[in-house]
Amino acid sequence: GTRLRAAGRERIHEFHLSAETPPFVAQHRVQGRILMPATGLLESVLCAAQDALGAGTHSVEQVTLQEALMLDDDPAAARTVQVVSTPQADDSVAIRVCSMPADAAIDATWVEHVQAKAGGAPEAASRPQSLAEARARCAEPVARDDFYRRLEAHGLDFGPAFHSIDAIRRGQDCAIAEVALAAELADEAGAWRMHPVLLDGCVQVIAAAASDADALYLPFSIGRYVLHGQPGSACTAFATMAAAASAET
């Protein structure tokens, strides 16, 4: 988005969303309504972190999705979105994503959608499972059409662009799948750090890992998100389920 002038230390970036911008958003619907994917908001947070902290690998933590960002089917009913980054005493950055109708009065109330904190390179993690080890844990194939029919039955009305995962296999509280952007989106993958539709496909793999076929899990908080490199237009996603740390998780 466009960076706005600010009298204080905050950095403010502004852009507009509508049923046509970005072009894929109208294909992401919940109960029939257009919902900006949480992965798109996460991309905005990551961009703000890089702008505030400089080039390199950054850790986005304590992400809380406060309120869904819904869009009207009328493309003229756009929303103005601001991403506000505020430096903290510990050299981290507090980031908020807020929106209001684009034609709202100057003193209208902003709706806060996301709160997060971003810092420098994260601590070194323990060695992750190899791809071969992950695949060995997931021996049961999952029919792609059945998987998307289950999501649709729960009110997730995804268009073809969001039917992005294939070769789904699951194991005990885990799943693996290949994720790829549709041809019409693949050319724009380089314009994003990680294309929201590609990351949304990775999140969908969590639903494949869930042992309860009647349950539906939607992200409302993220403990930590680190992007080590741009994946382009395709990747492999591996998801594991773990016991919640609290009843609210």
Side-chain angles (χ1 to χ4, degrees), residues 51-246:
D51 178 72
L53 299 170
T57 301
H58 305 297
S59 178
V60 176
E61 303 178 357
Q62 302 173 27
V63 182
T64 303
L65 304 175
Q66 306 281 93
E67 186 170 328
L69 203 169
M70 312 297 294
L71 297 171
D72 195 283
D73 279 289
D74 180 1
R79 293 190 70 84
T80 299
V81 182
Q82 287 193 352
V83 184
V84 183
S85 307
T86 307
Q88 304 296 292
D90 61 357
D91 294 328
S92 66
V93 179
I95 300 174
R96 297 181 296 123
V97 181
C98 307
S99 80
M100 68 161 61
D103 59 357
I106 191 68
D107 58 351
T109 300
W110 291 88
V111 177
E112 187 171 88
H113 301 284
V114 179
Q115 289 184 353
K117 180 179 180 180
E123 299 176 3
S126 58
R127 185 186 73 86
Q129 283 188 313
S130 70
L131 193 55
E133 290 170 333
R135 285 178 172 148
R137 289 182 57 185
C138 302
E140 178 189 346
V142 177
R144 181 176 185 269
D145 290 347
D146 290 346
F147 174 77
Y148 281 108
R149 274 194 290 268
R150 179 162 70 89
L151 295 189
E152 186 176 2
H154 285 289
L156 300 184
D157 308 318
F158 291 165
F162 284 89
H163 287 211
S164 56
I165 70 174
D166 205 352
I168 313 165
R169 304 182 71 86
R170 68 181 310 275
Q172 181 64 42
D173 294 326
C174 61
I176 193 168
E178 301 304 316
V179 187
L181 293 175
E184 64 270 20
L185 297 179
D187 289 343
E188 65 183 50
W192 307 79
R193 283 150 184 81
M194 185 167 186
H195 197 291
V197 176
L198 189 70
L199 184 54
D200 189 88
C202 296
V203 174
Q204 291 175 29
V205 180
I206 298 173
S211 57
D212 185 354
D214 294 325
L216 180 65
Y217 298 90
L218 295 175
F220 69 90
S221 67
I222 300 168
R224 172 181 288 182
Y225 173 59
V226 181
L227 183 64
H228 295 282
Q230 289 181 281
S233 62
C235 64
T236 301
F238 176 58
T240 59
M241 305 288 285
S246 73

